[in-house]
Amino acid sequence: MDKDFVKNPSHYTQGSIEAKTFIVDQDMTWAIGNAVKYLVRYRYKNRGEGQIQDLRKAIENIQIQIDSML
């Protein structure tokens, strides 16, 4: 069977639950859901500087949530 690299690349399906399933189950906001997605997946893609970039994206999304709450 061919893998679907758009909907299910390997870094999406690490572990026993996909980030999107957890995000929806926990009724997270868009910004927090994006932060969780980056935190869950950063280790499995974009080695080196790319991993740092994903962590910075998570921080940016958390800041968006904080700003919306002020």
Side-chain angles (χ1 to χ4, degrees):
M1 179 193 320
D2 290 331
K3 287 188 175 184
D4 184 340
F5 291 105
V6 173
K7 293 182 181 177
N8 288 317
S10 63
H11 62 276
Y12 279 29
T13 55
Q14 300 293 321
S16 60
I17 185 171
E18 285 191 57
K20 66 182 179 183
T21 303
F22 179 73
I23 291 163
V24 170
D25 180 69
Q26 296 299 307
D27 195 29
M28 294 181 185
T29 65
W30 173 86
I32 294 301
N34 268 345
V36 167
K37 175 188 72 170
Y38 285 118
L39 291 170
V40 167
R41 298 178 184 164
Y42 86 96
R43 295 180 299 157
Y44 304 107
K45 63 176 190 170
N46 303 326
R47 298 283 180 217
E49 183 60 34
Q51 290 177 322
I52 294 169
Q53 184 180 50
D54 273 7
L55 293 172
R56 287 183 176 141
K57 288 177 184 179
I59 291 168
E60 180 180 5
N61 279 275
I62 292 167
Q63 189 62 56
I64 289 168
Q65 181 67 38
I66 291 169
D67 292 347
S68 76
M69 297 169 68
L70 296 176

